Amino acid sequence: LESSLLTQPWASVCFGESAFLAKACFRDTGYILLISDLSNVWYESADAEAVGQRSKELNKRLTVHVSSFLHRLCNLVCPLLAGQPDATTSFTCHHTADSLSLHMKSELSGLPFYWDFHCCPAPVEMV
């Protein structure tokens, strides 16, 4: 995933009231997200097991296979990075010097759909 992330272009996005540069790579086995405010760079890498666990915590009423969940996340995040955000999806952001949390709210088949990206500072070699 990290090598695929390097080939992705940076995109200018707004999460809540804050402007960032971001890039992401989604696969059936997990995802990696990189976000920068030009002063700091944060990332989250989650494998299928972590995604499955978090999806059960955040979306108790949804029971879908992890690869379907990752596909849905990709379908919500990638259009945003391409400058075509989904009007029914909202993002809120909270960041400190050592973490960035991105909360996404949407819907799936008429049910609320939530996701939290928990980002930590990116290692220098990744940046």
Side-chain angles (χ1 to χ4, degrees):
L1 279 172
E2 283 188 26
S3 60
S4 296
L5 184 68
L6 293 176
T7 63
Q8 299 296 316
W10 286 98
S12 178
V13 295
C14 287
F15 297 127
E17 300 295 315
S18 303
F20 295 95
L21 292 177
K23 57 167 66 182
C25 184
F26 291 87
R27 298 281 188 265
D28 287 345
T29 56
Y31 69 82
I32 187 166
L33 174 71
L34 202 58
I35 301 174
S36 175
D37 64 0
L38 299 181
S39 294
N40 300 290
V41 180
W42 300 274
Y43 86 106
E44 181 183 39
S45 180
D47 63 13
E49 184 178 334
V51 170
Q53 182 62 36
R54 194 176 306 166
S55 68
K56 289 175 187 169
E57 294 169 8
L58 294 172
N59 298 284
K60 295 181 183 357
R61 295 170 53 190
L62 291 174
T63 52
V64 297
H65 192 272
V66 172
S67 63
S68 298
F69 208 91
L70 284 159
H71 186 74
R72 178 66 178 158
L73 286 173
C74 181
N75 287 343
L76 293 171
V77 173
C78 291
L80 174 74
L81 297 177
Q84 302 165 348
D86 181 339
T88 63
T89 302
S90 65
F91 290 87
T92 53
C93 179
H94 175 74
H95 64 91
T96 64
D98 54 352
S99 73
L100 180 136
S101 297
L102 186 60
H103 179 72
M104 181 177 68
K105 181 180 178 183
S106 187
E107 63 177 52
L108 178 62
S109 301
L111 293 173
F113 178 85
Y114 303 103
W115 191 255
D116 290 335
F117 294 96
H118 301 290
C119 303
C120 61
V124 174
E125 58 273 7
M126 181 184 284
V127 177

